[in-house]
Amino acid sequence: MNGNHIVCACNGTTVAQIEKAVKEGARTFEEVQEKLRVGVQCVKCKDLVKLLIDSYLE
């Protein structure tokens, strides 16, 4: 999945933005949510965001 892929359609949040948030210290969905406002409205992206967080922490 490339960095421009939109993960959260409600906010237009991309894979690259999630990766950056993790590199800057966000370790949980809630921490990424706080930084980027993902999963606040419809929550459809929650599972994918969690998967991305886990992959960046490995």
Side-chain angles (χ1 to χ4, degrees):
M1 191 177 312
N2 78 37
N4 293 325
H5 180 83
I6 293 178
V7 176
C8 177
C10 297
N11 294 316
T13 307
T14 65
V15 169
Q17 290 172 301
I18 293 169
E19 181 178 16
K20 182 178 180 210
V22 172
K23 286 182 177 180
E24 290 175 348
R27 296 292 180 256
T28 65
F29 173 79
E30 291 77 12
E31 290 173 348
V32 172
Q33 185 180 49
E34 186 176 313
K35 279 184 167 257
L36 301 175
R37 305 294 298 154
V38 296
V40 174
Q41 294 173 9
C42 77
V43 195
K44 290 181 182 177
C45 63
K46 186 173 183 176
D47 290 338
L48 181 53
V49 172
K50 284 182 173 184
L51 183 69
L52 288 169
I53 294 166
D54 290 345
S55 73
Y56 298 135
L57 290 175
E58 290 179 347

